[in-house]
């Protein structure tokens, strides 16, 4: 079992920044890929960014150049630095971990590859 707890969400104006954190506990050594997903009201959950144990990262096109995913293995914590936020970034952001699949590039943005999820943290960007 892996437990994930997100924090760092909030309300910012367009162009602002936030850093999300995801603290992992439990059998974290079994994790093969971790990532951030988001779900806006009325929309399906979508992949944002992923990272593997070798710190290889994958981003969806709409956040490239603005968001950065990173991890601190010593602290078992995953981060998402979000800069130049836009109203379209408004969503509930979820941390996810997979103990079954490695990241494997663009395929890592599929939510069905993850078997552990956090409860989410809300990000609201106003214009």
């Amino acid at each position: 079992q892996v437990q994930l707890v997100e924090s760092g969400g909030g309300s910012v104006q367009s162009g602002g920044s936030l850093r999300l954190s995801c603290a992992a506990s439990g059998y974290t050594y079994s994790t093969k890929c971790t990532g951030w997903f988001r779900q806006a009201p009325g929309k399906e959950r979508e992949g944002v960014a992923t990272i593997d144990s070798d710190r290889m990262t994958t981003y969806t096109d709409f956040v490239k150049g603005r968001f950065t995913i990173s991890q601190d293995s010593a602290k078992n914590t995953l981060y998402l630095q979000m800069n130049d936020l836009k109203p379209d970034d408004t969503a509930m952001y979820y941390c996810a971990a997979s103990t079954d699949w490695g990241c494997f590039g663009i395929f890592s943005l599929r939510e069905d590859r993850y078997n552990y999820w956090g409860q989410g943290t809300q990000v609201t960007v106003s214009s």
Side-chain angles (χ1 to χ4, degrees):
Q1 293 283 337
V2 177
Q3 292 80 42
L4 304 170
V5 179
E6 302 97 332
S7 61
S11 296
V12 296
Q13 291 190 326
S14 183
S17 298
L18 283 173
R19 188 176 81 154
L20 306 183
S21 299
C22 173
S25 60
Y27 295 108
T28 57
Y29 63 86
S30 62
T31 298
K32 296 181 180 179
C33 184
T34 54
W36 290 96
F37 289 74
R38 69 186 187 186
Q39 187 169 21
K43 295 186 177 181
E44 293 186 353
R45 189 156 52 186
E46 59 186 3
V48 175
T50 65
I51 188 168
D52 67 14
S53 58
D54 293 323
R55 291 178 165 73
M56 294 294 292
T57 58
T58 299
Y59 296 92
T60 190
D61 287 345
F62 47 77
V63 305
K64 282 181 180 177
R66 300 189 298 125
F67 292 10
T68 303
I69 189 171
S70 62
Q71 59 187 15
D72 185 331
S73 299
K75 296 181 179 179
N76 286 328
T77 302
L78 180 72
Y79 302 100
L80 185 68
Q81 177 67 43
M82 305 186 295
N83 297 328
D84 191 22
L85 283 161
K86 306 177 186 302
D88 284 347
D89 295 318
T90 295
M92 184 71 79
Y93 282 73
Y94 297 91
C95 172
S98 176
T99 57
D100 295 332
W101 296 93
C103 281
F104 303 125
I106 196 71
F107 296 102
S108 65
L109 295 174
R110 289 175 45 174
E111 64 172 309
D112 61 357
R113 298 179 75 93
Y114 296 82
N115 49 346
Y116 294 100
W117 294 84
Q119 82 289 349
T121 186
Q122 178 68 38
V123 172
T124 302
V125 185
S126 58
S127 57

